[in-house]
Amino acid sequence: MAEVLVYVDHVDGAVRKPTLELLTLARRIGEPVAVALGAGAADTAAVLAEHGAVKVLTADAPEFAEYLVVPKVDALQAAYDAVSPAAVLVPSSAEGKEIAARLAVRIGSGIITDAVDLEAGEEGPVATQSAFAASFTTKSRVSKGTPVITVKPNSAPVEAAPTAGAVEALAVTFGALATGTKVVSRTPRESTGRPELTEAAIVVSGGRGVNGAENFHIVEELADSLGAAVGASRAAVDAGWYPHTNQVGQTGKSVSPQLYIATGISGAIQHRAGMQTSKTIVAINKDAEAPIFDLVDYGVVGDLFQVVPQLTQEIKARQG
Amino acid sequence: MSLRIVVCVKYVPDATGDRQFADDLTVDREDVDGLLSELDEYAVEQALQISENSDDDVEITVLTVGPEDAKDALRKALSMGADKAVHVEDDDLHGTDVMGTSLVLAKAIEKAGYDLVVTGMASTDGTMGVLPAILAERLGVPQVTLLSEVAVEDGKVTGRRDGDAASEQLEASLPAVVSVTDQSGEARYPSFKGIMAAKKKPVESWDLSDLDIEAEEVGLEGAWTAVDSAAKRPARTAGTIVKDEGEGGKQLAEFLAGQKFI
Ligand SMILES: Cc1cc2nc3c(=O)[nH]c(=O)nc-3n(C[C@H](O)[C@H](O)[C@H](O)COP(=O)(O)OP(=O)(O)OC[C@H]3O[C@@H](n4cnc5c(N)ncnc54)[C@H](O)[C@@H]3O)c2cc1C
Ligand SMILES: Nc1ncnc2c1ncn2[C@@H]1O[C@H](COP(=O)(O)O)[C@@H](O)[C@H]1O
């Protein structure tokens, strides 16, 4: 059976959920061979094997952390040369897309980014994508070279598929460009203890209607009562009320949770681009004409300062 | 010293219009009004700021690959303050995907001459966000991408990249490819003077033969990816909308409980 390379997104050996979803998709096309790079790479093996990786290629070197993107491209290319896979799958993070794109140029292949589903097809893997702020769904293929495809979080279920998952060291030689862009310093983000925005099953977002950083605790309390991630519209981010890492939309994160709750958000096309594919959508807005209501499964026309705290309290009461 | 900056700008269908696909499944660029991608305005703005903060002799060239109307995007960038423009236009370019576009841009950038390439974070129609990395790969120069802050000094570019897990301070020597995000600072509006001045600024037109590119390397036929189908997403079925009469939060909780979220 053909092998499929899967690029592993992990933090010090802790594999992030989108990679496990990739393994589910990879198994539809062939046998997953995982590539894990950087500190803790070997620690990823057990979890990857649990989810179907027949082999885990690992490499660690200071270059991966000290220089931007290119060392990882060199390593992925080394894995590609070693395996000659039928396809290469990479999580659709900002960095993942850049790594995938550079690899595609090097191996003379086309690239598809931000797939939301993947199936085997007669002429190679068929990717489903959303276009024009998720108002269209397209199906496409890579028609030249080995398909390189990046896949968004929440695109497939995580499935157990235990296998051997033998760890093999990957030999990597860095090219001249690898040390081109130096990472002079790195400030890790502080953890909020809440789920990762793109991976969360429930997202609660606040917009301009929240009217100030000091009011965002209302949104956070609702999120915490549901175990949800917190999102924000660009208006709320630009006003400095909430960090940009939490922005949902075209120039922020795109999310596809089971439940999306928009509070004080009008539903501009650029915001919809990042949340329109959510399963269930709920909105609270005092303007009955707000475009967000065109998307909702349930909407409350009202003042969020009344409705949201009441909702939070009711959720807590029901949970006992 | 001189500093030659090339800014890549894309002409895109207006996102607030009714964007759609043409019969051949390429982006319909005729039935929806186009404009300079808002995300590329940030690239033009940062190039202008680099120029204003520099002691060097800076020349800013804006470059687009696109149909006849794409000149509008160049005009806008010129009226913001760029010095000159290059328009790569050729009938054989219709349907080109990112691999082809990046090939054309790389050749045009090399022909124009450059020390720094500045791009937007992503185009608002394709939204791939990978072209800057591909350009760096093709040109063989450092990639300093997704910057929310950028500065050029002493032949070096520095900047801040705010990623998911960390915020990174980056540094590379010129020549380099930089992309900037919409967090890099609001783009200026063209002044009346700027609009008038733009009318006299040079706009060169190049076609594929000027860049030694064969028609087979680009266009729909030469594309590295194939779109087999495009379907309009079914409209979401109309939901329940209630007006809060004092019990809105409780009613919503009831709905969420019914859906097993609570
Ligand atoms: C290139 C580009 C990229 C963009 N990218 C993004 C992006 O990634 N994400 C994004 O979100 N936007 C993005 N935008 C901006 C987008 O166009 C909108 O401006 C933005 O989404 C508006 O945010 P908002 O809904 O919070 O604010 P508004 O549109 O001002 O809406 C606020 C809403 O809150 C309601 N409200 C006010 N007070 C209350 C109250 N007390 N109770 C209940 N409701 C209340 C109002 O009725 C209104 O509907 C982008 C724009 C451009 C041009
Ligand atoms: N046809 C084009 N002409 C000029 N620049 C482009 C073109 N397509 C993309 N770009 C540049 O590349 C960036 C990223 O585009 P993309 O990877 O297509 O999302 C854009 O913000 C532009 O700066």
Side-chain angles (χ1 to χ4, degrees):
Chain A
M1 201 182 193
E3 291 170 313
V4 176
L5 268 194
V6 172
Y7 182 86
V8 177
D9 187 4
H10 69 100
V11 181
D12 294 328
V15 179
R16 292 182 56 184
K17 188 162 148 261
T19 301
L20 302 180
E21 297 166 7
L22 275 193
L23 289 172
T24 301
L25 295 175
R27 285 188 296 113
R28 294 183 190 164
I29 309 170
E31 281 191 332
V33 173
V35 183
L37 307 173
D43 301 339
T44 62
V47 172
L48 296 171
E50 197 57 38
H51 294 87
V54 294
K55 218 189 296 178
V56 182
L57 306 176
T58 64
D60 191 13
E63 281 83 351
F64 292 128
E66 289 170 10
Y67 298 92
L68 192 72
V69 173
V70 189
K72 292 171 180 159
V73 183
D74 288 351
L76 188 56
Q77 189 181 11
Y80 174 86
D81 291 341
V83 173
S84 302
V88 182
L89 306 185
V90 181
S92 259
S93 61
E95 185 186 63
K97 287 206 279 190
E98 293 184 332
I99 293 169
R102 296 189 70 137
L103 176 77
V105 178
R106 290 186 186 184
I107 65 176
S109 289
I111 179 170
I112 288 174
T113 57
D114 295 321
V116 295
D117 200 2
L118 205 59
E119 299 153 76
E122 273 176 20
E123 296 166 278
V126 177
T128 306
Q129 288 167 288
S130 293
F132 301 149
S135 57
F136 279 82
T137 304
T138 61
K139 291 204 187 282
S140 31
R141 295 170 283 119
V142 169
S143 46
K144 276 191 199 167
T146 304
V148 177
I149 301 172
T150 79
V151 182
K152 280 194 183 184
N154 280 344
S155 295
V158 173
E159 290 170 2
T163 175
V167 179
E168 273 178 35
L170 176 68
V172 183
T173 330
F174 294 113
L177 281 175
T179 53
T181 307
K182 191 163 175 48
V183 179
V184 180
S185 67
R186 176 180 284 118
T187 317
R189 279 196 197 295
E190 276 174 43
S191 163
T192 57
R194 296 195 179 90
E196 187 65 37
L197 188 54
T198 52
E199 300 170 15
I202 304 180
V203 174
V204 182
S205 290
R208 201 194 305 275
V210 176
N211 201 24
E214 68 280 8
N215 298 330
F216 247 89
H217 69 94
I218 299 177
V219 178
E220 291 181 335
E221 280 155 19
L222 173 57
D224 291 343
S225 75
L226 291 163
V230 177
S233 74
R234 175 158 150 190
V237 169
D238 282 355
W241 303 341
Y242 223 67
H244 179 251
T245 30
N246 295 71
Q247 182 177 314
V248 172
Q250 189 190 329
T251 55
K253 302 276 159 51
S254 103
V255 301
S256 201
Q258 296 298 313
L259 172 64
Y260 187 85
I261 305 183
T263 69
I265 292 177
S266 63
I269 184 81
Q270 295 88 354
H271 187 79
R272 291 158 72 143
M275 47 69 73
Q276 187 141 241
T277 58
S278 305
K279 272 253 167 53
T280 299
I281 298 177
V282 166
I284 300 152
N285 193 307
K286 67 180 182 191
D287 175 11
E289 304 295 317
I292 191 84
F293 285 126
D294 296 343
L295 299 181
V296 298
D297 296 287
Y298 199 89
V300 179
V301 180
D303 185 347
L304 72 90
F305 293 99
Q306 305 296 324
V307 178
V308 175
Q310 188 181 69
L311 172 61
T312 309
Q313 209 174 22
E314 184 67 19
I315 291 170
K316 285 185 182 155
R318 282 172 186 251
Q319 287 164 341
Chain B
M1 285 272 286
S2 78
L3 179 70
R4 295 161 303 166
I5 305 180
V6 176
V7 186
C8 298
V9 299
K10 191 173 185 187
Y11 180 75
V12 297
D14 187 348
T16 58
D18 200 5
R19 291 180 294 179
Q20 48 190 326
F21 289 92
D23 291 340
D24 62 358
L25 300 181
T26 61
V27 176
D28 182 349
R29 299 184 190 278
E30 263 154 38
D31 293 329
V32 182
D33 285 340
L35 76 179
L36 166 62
S37 167
E38 282 120 332
L39 293 174
D40 295 346
E41 290 184 16
Y42 295 93
V44 176
E45 176 62 35
Q46 289 310 309
L48 292 170
Q49 289 193 22
I50 288 167
S51 169
E52 286 156 7
N53 295 332
S54 173
D55 301 327
D56 294 339
D57 209 355
V58 182
E59 184 182 59
I60 301 175
T61 304
V62 285
L63 165 66
T64 197
V65 174
E68 168 69 23
D69 292 347
K71 285 211 169 52
D72 289 359
L74 295 175
R75 279 288 163 222
K76 170 108 188 245
L78 291 173
S79 61
M80 287 172 73
D83 300 304
K84 57 182 188 134
V86 173
H87 184 187
V88 183
E89 190 192 358
D90 198 307
D91 288 345
D92 289 328
L93 280 168
H94 175 79
T96 306
D97 70 356
V98 68
M99 285 299 164
T101 305
S102 61
L103 176 72
V104 176
L105 283 171
K107 293 247 179 155
I109 288 165
E110 276 169 340
K111 184 174 158 82
Y114 72 104
D115 302 297
L116 179 68
V117 176
V118 185
T119 76
M121 64 187 287
S123 54
T124 56
D125 53 350
T127 69
M128 295 182 78
V130 295
L131 194 130
I134 295 179
L135 272 185
E137 178 71 36
R138 288 201 187 277
L139 294 168
V141 301
Q143 114 174 37
V144 200
T145 47
L146 297 171
L147 303 183
S148 44
E149 249 175 46
V150 59
V152 172
E153 214 175 347
D154 301 330
K156 278 201 179 106
V157 48
T158 55
R160 196 182 77 236
R161 171 170 163 128
D162 293 319
D164 284 349
S167 180
E168 294 166 330
Q169 201 63 41
L170 304 178
E171 182 183 293
S173 303
L174 297 181
V177 174
V178 159
S179 77
V180 300
T181 73
D182 62 338
Q183 296 294 300
S184 59
E186 276 307 304
R188 68 194 63 189
Y189 287 104
S191 64
F192 179 69
K193 218 175 112 205
I195 294 169
M196 294 316 286
K199 299 196 163 131
K200 302 200 191 77
K201 290 178 180 171
V203 179
E204 276 189 58
S205 274
W206 295 345
D207 62 14
L208 289 176
S209 65
D210 292 318
L211 299 174
D212 290 325
I213 296 173
E214 303 292 328
E216 301 81 65
E217 296 179 77
V218 295
L220 196 53
E221 291 302 313
W224 301 67
T225 45
V227 180
D228 291 331
S229 70
K232 204 160 172 64
R233 216 182 146 74
R236 293 186 80 102
T237 43
T240 311
I241 296 179
V242 300
K243 193 168 176 336
D244 178 36
E245 311 271 6
E247 300 281 303
K250 289 188 180 154
Q251 287 167 287
L252 185 45
E254 187 60 38
F255 169 78
L256 294 179
Q259 302 285 313
K260 306 263 185 297
F261 288 115
I262 310 177

